[in-house]
Amino acid sequence: MTVRVRFAPSPTGYLHIGSARTALFNYLYARHVGGKFLLRIEDTDLARSTEESTRSILDGLAWLELGHDEEIVFQSDNADKHRATAKKLLAEGKAYRDFTPKAEPSDGNVKDAIKDRARAAQGEKNMRDNPYRDLSNEESDARAAAGEPCAIRLKVAATGKTSFEDQVYGLQERDYAETEDLVLLRSDGHPLYNLAVVCDDIEMAITHVIRGQDHLTNTHKQVLIYEALGIAPPTFAHLPLIMAPNKGKLSKRKHGEVVSMTTYRDAGFLAAAFRNFLALLGWSAGEEREIYSLEELIAKFTLDGIHRSNAVFNFTENDARKWTDDKAQWMNAEYIRTMPIGELLPFVKSELKSAKLWREEYDPDGRALTSSIPSTESQIFERTTDMAERPENIALDIPEIGSHDWYVHTVALIRQRFFTLKDFSSQGRAYFSEDYDFDPAAIEKNLNKFPDLKTWLAELADRFEAEFQSSPPYEGGVDAALGGRGGSLPFNEANIETVVKAFTEEKGTKLGVIMNGARTLLTGVAVGPSMLSVFETLGQEKSILRLRSQFAWNT
RNA sequence: GACCGGUUCGUCUAGGGGUUAGGACACCGCCCUUUCACGGCGGCAACACGGGUUCAAAUCCCGUACCGGUUACCA
């Protein structure tokens, strides 16, 4: 028998972290055993279900790349079947009509009201004392025929117990006395959750139900329905819950965005990294290892690796740096830094695109377009036109600036200190645009503290122009004064180091002062890769122009 | 309240009778370095408590405490 599992969210909000983990575990299990992973939208609560929520959940699943098999089932489409099943149980005497008037919903917190009522009952409540439980068929039929509203309840036997072997928690038993005659059909004819789930799981031929352990007691009720129906229940596996940092419930309302999948997508997380993080929340392969590809997760995922204790999703409210779980952030950074560059490139591309920093020349076949570089160079020099004319020709160290190779080289260089995809368009903006921001703290620390830099860095630009070959003959520049001839050195790391070091000694200052000042001017931030590679990567022209830029000063 | 479940560093976890109780994240320190949120090395830090069983308990049993789930004509 092929394994068939399902993820069955109710569309009452976005896909949150707990549901996402449940979906992932179902997916991994199905793929591991070569079964089917189905999707069912439990939209029977008309009052709370929204299409927008369904879309959001689907978006979340799509982002996590948890593709489902077969058509999506909408539970509300099966309401007639659910009703028919309830009628069948009624006809067989396994359920009864309850003519007790529906209780008015209490105002305030429903959960609390229920809890209070249960506590008031002191556990002495007799679950079988419903006066309509043993109403004669005749009277029941007559009252129903007369149009008297009634709910349909399952007739749970007075003695005995439900039991099932949970794949995570082991044998679970519950005395019938603990379970009330649950309502199958509301008095308005609306099928309720437990009935709907059982009917649909049967209909969908679900073999394994993998869901949160908050359903443990529902499972007993559902087992009761299976028994009444004379159908063998599926195998159950309940998952530990994911808790808030205070070990309390992780709620959409209280914790908001931090639990939503779309937040992570929008914050520049890689689905692969987040999946990896999620997989390790409540499951482990029993190894001292954290990074698993999807294929490895599928290969290693088994139900007995699932834990029984709840896990805390750790984050600190009002702390920008720790807005979400440290490990999730680390995992994402780890993926960005170490995944094959070819796999990262498409993500960087779409990030740059949405930040309007993307250029077609970065594409592998974009080389043919390099002839169009002058047009983009007008952008490069946009903010500095008062300083220099656009150069006639450009000869650069490999890789050629703006080319695909340069793009790959640059991404590989700057990803080393990035945490999210967003960093490519924020911290890394200066590599792709002239229009980048300056971090005030960086300016203060690396520029303002050394007033001499204001002239030194401009001088360094002159030096670059003089020492390195092919420096463009800027109008009015040193180069022009020299007759348009630059030096003879190729603009590469080794030579840049030599030149900068010599310059530093002349000025009697420390290398760090020059380098950090240059970094701030050239990239707007105080952190990044080796400054030598930054110079080289940005290229001679940009380096010179930005060194001469006074933009960052006095900001 | 009742029923059910859980409890190893701050967090995620390994370990399931004999371990210096391991790893990861975070944190701290040192090194590398022009800076740095990269990297390298190191450090801090845990078996909830009390009884048993046993030569030996984090590990098995019982109890307590604490935490969580459920207790709807919600899902």
Side-chain angles (χ1 to χ4, degrees):
Chain A
M1 184 169 68
T2 53
V3 166
R4 293 167 65 84
V5 301
R6 84 296 196 280
F7 172 56
S10 55
T12 54
Y14 45 67
L15 181 68
H16 64 87
I17 186 165
S19 308
R21 203 268 316 254
T22 300
L24 175 64
F25 281 19
N26 273 280
Y27 175 90
L28 293 177
Y29 183 66
R31 292 290 174 266
H32 178 78
V33 299
K36 300 285 187 194
F37 170 63
L38 312 183
L39 187 54
R40 182 172 73 223
I41 303 296
E42 311 224 312
D43 55 350
T44 58
D45 186 341
L46 302 332
R48 292 194 300 155
S49 298
T50 66
E51 254 178 66
E52 185 195 355
S53 165
T54 301
R55 259 198 311 281
S56 175
I57 289 168
L58 261 22
D59 280 354
L61 290 175
W63 178 64
L64 286 169
E65 300 169 297
L66 302 180
H68 60 272
D69 301 306
E70 304 184 8
E71 294 284 296
I72 298 176
V73 172
F74 287 88
Q75 191 158 63
S76 58
D77 290 343
N78 300 334
D80 286 340
K81 288 178 187 167
H82 304 155
R83 272 187 283 271
T85 301
K87 296 280 161 53
K88 175 172 173 277
L89 291 173
L90 181 63
E92 291 172 354
K94 291 170 178 164
Y96 62 94
R97 294 192 186 91
D98 179 4
F99 294 96
T100 309
K102 185 181 174 186
E104 283 308 308
S106 59
D107 35 273
N109 192 313
V110 187
K111 281 248 188 220
D112 288 347
I114 290 162
K115 193 169 185 167
D116 289 345
R117 192 203 310 165
R119 198 174 328 201
Q122 296 269 355
E124 289 168 11
K125 188 184 171 203
N126 176 4
M127 300 289 200
R128 308 292 158 247
D129 62 359
N130 191 304
Y132 300 99
R133 187 180 156 88
D134 296 311
L135 206 62
S136 69
N137 287 343
E138 294 70 34
E139 187 177 352
S140 175
D141 290 347
R143 289 175 72 160
E148 187 175 347
C150 64
I152 293 180
R153 286 184 185 272
L154 186 71
K155 197 180 277 182
V156 179
T159 58
K161 63 187 177 188
T162 44
S163 71
F164 60 92
E165 186 67 32
D166 190 87
Q167 297 303 292
V168 173
Y169 290 95
L171 179 66
Q172 297 295 305
E173 296 184 311
R174 189 175 169 91
D175 201 289
Y176 286 165
E178 303 294 338
T179 305
E180 69 170 341
D181 290 340
L182 55 137
V183 173
L184 266 16
L185 229 49
R186 258 200 241 159
S187 52
D188 62 2
H190 188 80
L192 253 24
Y193 175 73
N194 284 304
L195 173 68
V197 166
V198 170
C199 289
D200 290 352
D201 281 342
I202 291 169
E203 176 95 6
M204 292 165 79
I206 298 302
T207 61
H208 292 68
V209 171
I210 303 170
R211 64 185 14 161
Q213 61 110 299
D214 50 336
H215 284 287
L216 231 24
T217 48
N218 276 329
T219 300
H220 283 99
K221 294 177 182 178
Q222 291 172 22
V223 166
L224 247 13
I225 298 176
Y226 278 105
E227 286 172 356
L229 256 20
I231 292 172
T235 299
F236 295 100
H238 290 86
L239 274 22
L241 271 17
I242 298 176
M243 316 303 289
N246 65 358
K247 295 193 188 291
K249 198 167 182 156
L250 202 50
S251 80
K252 295 176 185 177
R253 214 182 43 136
K254 184 166 188 299
H255 302 103
E257 298 288 279
V258 73
V259 303
S260 169
M261 267 324 95
T262 48
T263 298
Y264 295 90
R265 179 196 62 194
D266 299 342
F269 274 66
L270 289 160
F274 207 78
R275 247 193 267 123
N276 193 158
F277 168 74
L278 240 29
L280 264 20
L281 221 45
W283 173 83
S284 71
E287 304 175 305
E288 292 191 343
R289 186 180 158 187
E290 334 289 325
I291 305 293
Y292 292 94
S293 68
L294 185 59
E295 293 67 34
E296 290 169 322
L297 287 175
I298 290 170
K300 289 174 183 291
F301 190 84
T302 57
L303 262 22
D304 49 83
I306 298 173
H307 307 150
R308 276 160 290 270
S309 53
N310 296 341
V312 168
F313 181 62
N314 207 9
F315 60 92
T316 310
E317 275 161 307
N318 307 319
D319 183 343
R321 218 172 126 82
K322 297 193 179 286
W323 68 276
T324 190
D325 198 290
D326 278 327
K327 204 152 192 172
Q329 299 202 62
W330 167 79
M331 190 84 73
N332 199 51
E334 185 69 11
Y335 267 75
I336 285 180
R337 297 196 278 257
T338 64
M339 69 196 287
I341 189 78
E343 289 172 26
L344 177 64
L345 257 17
F347 293 108
V348 178
K349 175 176 178 176
S350 70
E351 174 56 31
L352 292 184
K353 270 194 165 175
S354 64
K356 305 231 186 311
L357 295 173
W358 176 255
R359 290 161 50 171
E360 293 306 319
E361 297 90 299
Y362 298 158
D363 268 332
D365 54 358
R367 270 211 105 111
L369 300 172
T370 38
S371 58
S372 71
I373 270 196
S375 70
T376 51
E377 257 161 24
S378 62
Q379 293 165 16
I380 295 178
F381 295 105
E382 206 164 62
R383 281 183 35 225
T384 50
T385 42
D386 56 328
M387 289 190 222
E389 296 276 337
R390 183 163 60 77
E392 295 302 323
N393 61 10
I394 313 159
L396 295 170
D397 271 302
I398 31 125
E400 186 180 353
I401 290 212
S403 69
H404 170 67
D405 288 346
W406 174 85
Y407 168 65
V408 175
H409 165 90
T410 301
V411 170
L413 179 72
I414 63 182
R415 71 168 169 164
Q416 290 310 321
R417 280 176 178 76
F418 286 175
F419 279 73
T420 74
L421 259 14
K422 286 283 163 212
D423 291 334
F424 285 95
S425 63
S426 52
Q427 285 189 62
R429 193 178 175 87
Y431 293 88
F432 305 104
S433 167
E434 286 307 297
D435 181 23
Y436 54 94
D437 291 328
F438 292 87
D439 171 20
I443 291 175
E444 191 51 40
K445 180 183 166 200
N446 295 330
L447 256 23
N448 291 347
K449 251 173 81 179
F450 307 98
D452 285 337
L453 282 174
K454 201 163 185 172
T455 49
W456 287 351
L457 292 177
E459 282 180 51
L460 183 62
D462 296 342
R463 188 65 56 89
F464 276 12
E465 216 168 41
E467 297 283 358
F468 296 112
Q469 65 186 10
S470 308
S471 64
Y474 301 125
E475 194 95 27
V478 171
D479 226 25
L482 292 172
R485 268 271 24 101
S488 58
L489 299 171
F491 193 71
N492 61 33
E493 287 192 32
N495 292 331
I496 295 166
E497 183 170 22
T498 308
V499 170
V500 175
K501 273 192 170 155
F503 181 81
T504 303
E505 277 170 35
E506 277 176 39
K507 299 301 175 193
T509 187
K510 291 202 303 191
L511 191 57
V513 172
I514 299 293
M515 289 299 203
N516 292 330
R519 178 190 303 285
T520 303
L521 222 37
L522 265 62
T523 67
V525 293
V527 300
S530 153
M531 201 47 213
L532 297 173
S533 9
V534 173
F535 276 129
E536 192 188 67
T537 301
L538 247 21
Q540 191 174 351
E541 286 73 21
K542 285 191 188 182
S543 294
I544 290 172
L545 285 166
R546 291 183 187 184
L547 280 175
R548 284 179 178 151
S549 164
Q550 300 295 301
F551 185 79
W553 297 89
N554 314 317
T555 306

